[in-house]
Amino acid sequence: MKRSGVGLWAAWFAALLVILAGLTSASRAAESADAIWHNGIIITINDAAPQAEAIAVTQGRIQAVGREAEVMALRDEQTRVHDLQGRTLLPGFVDAHGHVSYVGFQALSANLLPPPDGQVSSIAQLQQTLRDFAPQSRLLEDFGVIYGFGYDDSQLAERRHPTRDELDAVSADTPIFVIHQSSHLGVLNSAALERDGIDENTADPPGGRIGRGADSRVPNGVLEENAFFMALGKLYPDMDTEQAIDMLKQGEALYTRYGYTTLQDGRSAPDQVRLTMAAAEAGQLKADIVSYPDILVEGTEALLRPLYFQPAGTPPEYHNRFRIGGIKLTLDGSPQGRTAWLSQPYFRPPPGEPGSYAGYGVVDDKAVAEIYTRALRNRWQTLTHANGDKAIDQMIAAWREAEAAVPGVDVRPVLVHGQTLRRDQVPALKEMGIFPSLFPMHTFYWGDWHREVVLGPSRAEHISPTGWVLGAGLRFTSHHDAPVVLPDAMRVLDATVNRVTRAGRVLGHYQRVSPRQALKAMTLWAAYQHFEEDSKGSLEVGKLADFVVLSDNPLTVEQYSIHKITVLETIKEGQSIYRH
């Protein structure tokens, strides 16, 4: 049937309206912002333009950053305009090392932390905290175990670990498992030891120790390193998927409260990886989580496949806010727990140890070199936990051996903690491209303990030597290792800048760095550590709109009050995921 002229004209006009509507929509997408932040201090962490007056976001990425008049020109009637009211906005913090899965477990356990993060300063207070906690514990109700997290023998009045008998005084029938703040030691009561199958006939596992009575082989309840991790594996709550995802979300919520938009799960078990995959598939994650499963645990290697893993050196991609970044390897323990592997003896050895005691390693040299060689062949980025300088020697020697076997491959390997990194070891890190992720928060939490007990006055000055690293022309990151300490970004920043102990002493004044350098260590350099510097860590056009809003400017506030700054809001790809 032939159309009339009027009908043809009407069809043409309708088509024109559709085209114009599409052009208008495309024009807005290209020219107008979804959201703008202004009227505050915007720290970009971009040396080419360190500060800005306003920032615009479209589709989760930064569209413009600069002068307010220029950025505001991108506003239309649909743009959300956020008035900072003089507050400070900077890139969201990137977690250089932490354990988000275990932070959720910490949140569900009795808080045994000492001040300022808890109230436990004696064994009697620890016992009472467990008694008060037990009736309200979801974990006790569901799994029949009383869990406590964060006791610290260095901060207890008795200056020692509690014993099985002291935990039996809380409950002789219900298993009790309390975890040291280092997360490398723990104490079990008699019921927990029995459930775990540990008695006087149980041998110490390789890389671990079972504490014994003074004149017998009867366990006193204290477990170190691999003995502790094996016990934790047996006594860890066997949650269903819904319970486990809820616990993970509690950990995520604590991180975002402190301004982190990228979180790390730095020693995941395969089951934890699969759980986080399930949370991602269900759309449950608000922040990005990058996992580094423990290569010593069976089943880890099978996880290093697409969709969630990309080899080092390729652009990393998150799938529903989750990806696997590589592997984790642990070579020793904790200095505050006196299980780190040192080249020189501890200043004061633990009870029952000789004056020559210097800690111990947990993996033999051949196995370390073999793991690193496989990492290079498969392009796995590797995080290596090495606190003691002897463990760092082992790491350096093994990487030399691996690189000789597989030359020319850069997986940007990471030294995690490096508490007692020696000055003569720093050139080797630079030579081999090993990235140092250091732990200056120790200066506040355990600086006095290191001086008086662990390392002595001289060696304690050098813990987490950020000054030496910067002086050698290296970048570094500064982390919290949560749940070892709370993922408090302002406490991380303060400790990295000031290095002040609980007693008010500056520990290693020549290792201090400027506030701007410390912020880089928590943003742009942390993004670099994760191969994500092209999309995160600074406020530049095209990068993700990951922001944190602070109550004050850490670059200008009185230096020793940085830890008092409050995180007011955390923003992930332009959307608020936490408000104070």
Side-chain angles (χ1 to χ4, degrees):
M1 177 178 162
K2 186 177 180 180
R3 288 192 180 183
S4 68
V6 173
L8 286 172
W9 183 88
W12 175 85
F13 184 70
L16 180 62
L17 289 177
V18 170
I19 293 169
L20 288 174
L23 288 174
T24 300
S25 175
S27 176
R28 180 177 193 279
E31 297 177 2
S32 299
D34 293 337
I36 292 174
W37 283 260
H38 75 121
N39 192 31
I41 298 158
I42 297 177
I43 300 171
T44 67
I45 314 295
N46 174 11
D47 290 341
Q51 198 158 314
E53 296 175 352
I55 188 165
V57 172
T58 296
Q59 297 181 356
R61 291 188 177 268
I62 297 171
Q63 182 183 10
V65 55
R67 294 185 180 278
E68 180 162 353
E70 296 169 354
V71 174
M72 281 299 201
L74 300 171
R75 178 180 58 178
D76 67 10
E77 66 279 359
Q78 298 178 50
T79 303
R80 304 185 309 275
V81 178
H82 302 274
D83 186 348
L84 291 168
Q85 299 179 337
R87 300 183 177 101
T88 299
L89 180 146
L90 62 155
F93 298 119
V94 176
D95 181 18
H97 185 65
H99 307 269
V100 64
S101 291
Y102 289 113
V103 172
F105 176 64
Q106 176 190 24
L108 294 174
S109 304
N111 181 2
L112 304 181
L113 292 166
D117 302 323
Q119 302 297 324
V120 174
S121 299
S122 70
I123 290 174
Q125 289 176 335
L126 180 148
Q127 292 170 315
Q128 191 58 47
T129 299
L130 291 171
R131 291 189 188 102
D132 294 341
F133 174 77
Q136 58 183 329
S137 170
R138 290 169 51 191
L139 294 180
L140 173 59
E141 181 180 347
D142 291 342
F143 306 104
V145 180
I146 300 172
Y147 299 93
F149 191 94
Y151 86 89
D152 182 1
D153 57 311
S154 78
Q155 300 301 312
L156 295 177
E158 297 84 357
R159 289 293 183 100
R160 64 172 175 82
H161 301 284
T163 66
R164 68 186 290 175
D165 294 333
E166 287 163 332
L167 296 184
D168 285 348
V170 176
S171 176
D173 302 320
T174 302
I176 300 176
F177 192 159
V178 299
I179 299 172
H180 188 264
Q181 192 172 358
S182 69
S183 295
H184 282 256
L185 305 96
V187 186
L188 283 65
N189 73 342
S190 297
L193 287 168
E194 183 178 356
R195 181 181 289 193
D196 225 38
I198 298 174
D199 58 25
E200 62 270 21
N201 298 313
T202 306
D204 291 354
R209 295 188 181 182
I210 299 171
R212 315 279 180 176
D215 301 312
S216 74
R217 285 188 51 80
V218 175
N220 63 11
V222 179
L223 305 179
E224 296 179 2
E225 300 304 330
N226 283 346
F228 161 75
F229 292 122
M230 291 169 65
L232 179 61
K234 293 179 181 179
L235 287 172
Y236 198 79
D238 185 16
M239 300 182 176
D240 62 31
T241 300
E242 183 178 351
Q243 291 170 320
I245 288 178
D246 179 65
M247 187 175 76
L248 176 67
K249 288 169 66 178
Q250 291 204 41
E252 178 191 63
L254 190 62
Y255 270 81
T256 57
R257 169 183 165 188
Y258 290 112
Y260 285 91
T261 51
T262 298
L263 325 181
Q264 190 188 99
D265 206 20
R267 192 185 182 183
S268 316
D271 284 347
Q272 290 171 319
V273 175
R274 286 187 282 269
L275 165 77
T276 315
M277 287 178 180
E281 291 297 338
Q284 296 285 307
L285 302 181
K286 295 182 179 180
D288 287 342
I289 296 179
V290 55
S291 170
Y292 290 83
D294 188 339
I295 191 59
L296 298 179
V297 175
E298 185 178 355
T300 285
E301 193 164 342
L303 298 169
L304 301 174
R305 303 284 186 271
L307 167 80
Y308 289 97
F309 171 73
Q310 297 88 38
T314 59
E317 296 180 8
Y318 287 84
H319 182 69
N320 293 341
R321 303 214 182 287
F322 177 65
R323 73 180 182 93
I324 299 172
I327 62 170
K328 175 73 179 292
L329 176 64
T330 299
L331 299 184
D332 71 343
S334 79
Q336 71 270 37
R338 288 180 283 182
T339 58
W341 192 17
L342 306 178
S343 62
Q344 300 296 320
Y346 279 86
F347 188 62
R348 298 184 188 278
E353 297 290 353
S356 61
Y357 173 79
Y360 49 92
V362 296
V363 187
D364 67 62
D365 294 348
K366 182 179 179 181
V368 177
E370 192 274 333
I371 288 168
Y372 288 163
T373 301
R374 277 196 291 144
L376 290 175
R377 285 181 176 145
N378 293 284
R379 303 189 73 89
W380 300 335
Q381 188 183 31
T382 302
L383 309 189
T384 301
H385 168 119
N387 264 312
D389 62 324
K390 187 67 173 175
I392 299 170
D393 281 336
Q394 182 186 42
M395 177 187 181
I396 290 170
W399 272 114
R400 286 193 192 282
E401 186 174 335
E403 289 182 353
V406 188
V409 178
D410 180 17
V411 295
R412 211 171 281 177
V414 180
L415 164 63
V416 175
H417 304 323
Q419 282 293 314
T420 58
L421 177 68
R422 301 191 309 267
R423 192 166 197 168
D424 66 281
Q425 292 172 323
V426 174
L429 302 188
K430 185 173 184 178
E431 173 197 347
M432 292 187 288
I434 296 174
F435 189 97
S437 182
L438 302 179
F439 199 175
M441 282 182 87
H442 262 249
T443 57
F444 173 75
Y445 282 95
W446 294 285
D448 300 309
W449 179 247
H450 287 321
R451 289 188 83 258
E452 298 162 12
V453 175
V454 178
L455 299 171
S458 178
R459 281 187 291 169
E461 294 285 311
H462 310 312
I463 61 171
S464 284
T466 49
W468 289 348
V469 166
L470 278 181
L474 291 171
R475 290 170 280 199
F476 71 93
T477 55
S478 184
H479 61 252
H480 46 70
D481 199 23
V484 172
V485 295
L486 293 174
D488 185 339
M490 292 300 99
R491 182 68 74 178
V492 175
L493 183 65
D494 189 291
T496 310
V497 171
N498 294 313
R499 296 178 65 95
V500 174
T501 73
R502 292 177 192 261
R505 184 194 312 270
V506 174
L507 197 64
H509 66 89
Y510 43 83
Q511 303 290 4
R512 293 189 292 185
V513 302
S514 72
R516 187 173 293 277
Q517 290 167 326
L519 281 176
K520 282 186 176 181
M522 298 168 66
T523 54
L524 186 58
W525 293 348
Y528 174 87
Q529 177 189 305
H530 288 97
F531 286 94
E532 296 186 49
E533 68 273 21
D534 289 339
S535 62
K536 296 177 180 177
S538 62
L539 305 183
E540 301 179 61
V541 172
K543 289 194 173 186
L544 293 175
D546 292 355
F547 309 147
V548 59
V549 180
L550 304 178
S551 61
D552 214 329
N553 182 354
L555 301 181
T556 59
V557 73
E558 197 280 319
Q559 186 167 307
Y560 290 102
S561 65
I562 289 175
H563 66 278
K564 297 179 181 178
I565 296 173
T566 300
V567 172
L568 300 177
E569 188 173 12
T570 305
I571 297 155
K572 176 65 180 154
E573 295 174 32
Q575 301 297 318
S576 181
I577 59 174
Y578 166 77
R579 282 195 178 93
H580 181 63

